[in-house]
Amino acid sequence: MADFLALGECMVEIGPLENGKCRRGFAGDTFNTAWYARRLLPESWTVGYGSCIGTDAISDEMAAYMESHGVDTSAMRRLEDRTVGLYMISLQDGERSFSYWRGQSAAKAMAEDPAWLEQITRGRDIVHFSGITLAILPPEQRQTFCEVLTRAREAGTQIAFDTNLRPKLWGSEEAMREGLTLGASVADVVLPSFDEETALFGDATPEDTVKRYRDGGAKLIAVKDGGGPLTLWTAQSGLITLQPQKVTPVDTTAAGDSFAAGLLASLATGHDLEAAATRAMALAAEVIQAPGALVPEIFDKGAFA
């Protein structure tokens, strides 16, 4: 048995349909990664989600939804005075923007109980988190969260970090820089996006991004660049550049989340780095050609079996 645990915030998702109508679902960056990882990893793997939710009806519905899709919820903590957050997607030419309502989100209390956090991360094979996971925490609790992951890493867990920048969640640019640097410092695998690294750190090339995270201790770095080249680095491979296939995006929601699942799951099941990255890019390309974060039709037609 092996297991994959994603940590973060799953939210109620309101997405656009035609004629001004909307659909409701559940999504969130690290949950999206867990959802895709569940479909990519063999049944011998447990795929779980670690977070805090409320005790109300919508929290119950979210947990039931996760379980119905094969995502284990035993690492979820219930808080009576909180609920779950909500976000709405707006689309223009396939690019998405978000509006959020998360004032009473239980997930923001994820690091309030370090003993619980230590317990749910202990002994895992892979733990995945993101910049959003860190951003929603009170500033004083980000360090606590990362200290717990450091101990898990020292005990043999592979830690993966998708930088996934959402500026509105951070108090300042300096807080963002400090938060992303802190998160990357506890990770084996770092998955940044080049446009965000340029905006926040002034990187001129993907190689600049690689160097900063390599110097911070990462063992594998995959710098995404939208439809541009993917830049990979490990100490064994050095720099590798791969070109993704060209597609016309319908909705880029979960492009990076599905890429993370594709890369981590493929590496965990024996693919070499180039093959794993190629598979991850192909999955992301399929995801962005359909509306919404979670696209079961990809797997219904037998792709990525």
Side-chain angles (χ1 to χ4, degrees), residues 16 29 46 78 97 113 119 202 230 269 304:
D29 66 334
T46 297
R78 298 279 194 150
S97 60
D113 186 346
Q119 182 266 320
L230 173 73
T269 51
F304 305 97

Side-chain angles (χ1 to χ4, degrees), residues 229-292:
L230 173 73
T231 302
L232 301 166
W233 176 88
T234 68
Q236 295 75 27
S237 69
L239 284 170
I240 298 172
T241 301
L242 299 176
Q243 185 66 48
Q245 65 188 92
K246 296 295 184 182
V247 299
T248 300
V250 172
D251 179 356
T252 57
T253 305
D257 310 333
S258 57
F259 174 86
L263 183 68
L264 296 170
S266 297
L267 290 171
T269 51
H271 293 75
D272 65 30
L273 180 60
E274 285 195 44
T278 299
R279 194 166 182 244
M281 288 190 296
L283 175 60
E286 291 282 346
V287 169
I288 66 174
Q289 292 178 79

Side-chain angles (χ1 to χ4, degrees), residues 1-7 30 33-34 37-38 40-42 45-50 75 117 120-130 149 152-153 155-162 186-191 220 260-270 276:
M1 293 291 292
D3 55 52
F4 177 106
L5 179 71
L7 298 172
T30 54
T33 298
R38 175 63 285 166
L40 294 168
L41 288 166
W45 280 71
T46 297
V47 175
Y49 199 66
L117 194 58
I120 67 167
T121 55
R122 186 181 300 120
R124 304 283 182 171
D125 292 277
I126 301 172
V127 170
H128 175 72
F129 73 112
S130 76
L149 293 192
R153 185 186 188 189
T157 297
Q158 182 186 67
I159 307 296
F161 177 56
D162 186 339
V186 305
D188 301 288
V189 178
V190 178
L191 306 171
L220 189 164
L263 183 68
L264 296 170
S266 297
L267 290 171
T269 51

Side-chain angles (χ1 to χ4, degrees), residues 18 58 71 79 97-98 103-104 135 137 142 158 162 180 205 224 246 275 278 291 299:
E18 294 180 355
I58 194 65
V71 177
L79 301 178
S97 60
F98 302 97
Q104 293 299 310
L137 300 178
R142 292 172 194 150
Q158 182 186 67
D162 186 339
L180 294 196
T205 67
K224 300 158 288 180
K246 296 295 184 182
T278 299
F299 305 97

Side-chain angles (χ1 to χ4, degrees), residues 1-122:
M1 293 291 292
D3 55 52
F4 177 106
L5 179 71
L7 298 172
E9 180 184 32
C10 186
M11 305 178 74
V12 177
E13 178 191 75
I14 305 296
L17 295 173
E18 294 180 355
N19 302 319
K21 296 182 179 180
C22 293
R23 54 174 173 75
R24 195 196 74 177
F26 297 103
D29 66 334
T30 54
F31 173 70
N32 302 340
T33 298
W35 189 93
Y36 284 104
R38 175 63 285 166
R39 278 141 190 83
L40 294 168
L41 288 166
E43 287 302 315
S44 58
W45 280 71
T46 297
V47 175
Y49 199 66
S51 189
C52 296
I53 58 175
T55 58
D56 55 342
I58 194 65
S59 296
D60 291 343
E61 191 175 335
M62 177 182 287
Y65 176 83
M66 290 183 181
E67 290 283 356
S68 73
H69 286 266
V71 177
D72 180 71
T73 60
S74 61
M76 303 278 277
R77 186 161 67 101
R78 298 279 194 150
L79 301 178
E80 291 187 1
D81 59 341
R82 301 286 185 96
T83 184
V84 296
L86 177 149
Y87 73 96
M88 181 175 289
I89 301 170
S90 299
L91 291 173
Q92 184 170 359
D93 300 324
E95 290 297 324
R96 79 277 195 244
S97 60
F98 302 97
S99 299
Y100 294 97
W101 294 265
R102 52 165 38 109
Q104 293 299 310
S105 171
K108 297 192 296 184
M110 202 183 329
E112 283 185 358
D113 186 346
W116 167 79
L117 194 58
E118 191 113 34
Q119 182 266 320
I120 67 167
T121 55
R122 186 181 300 120

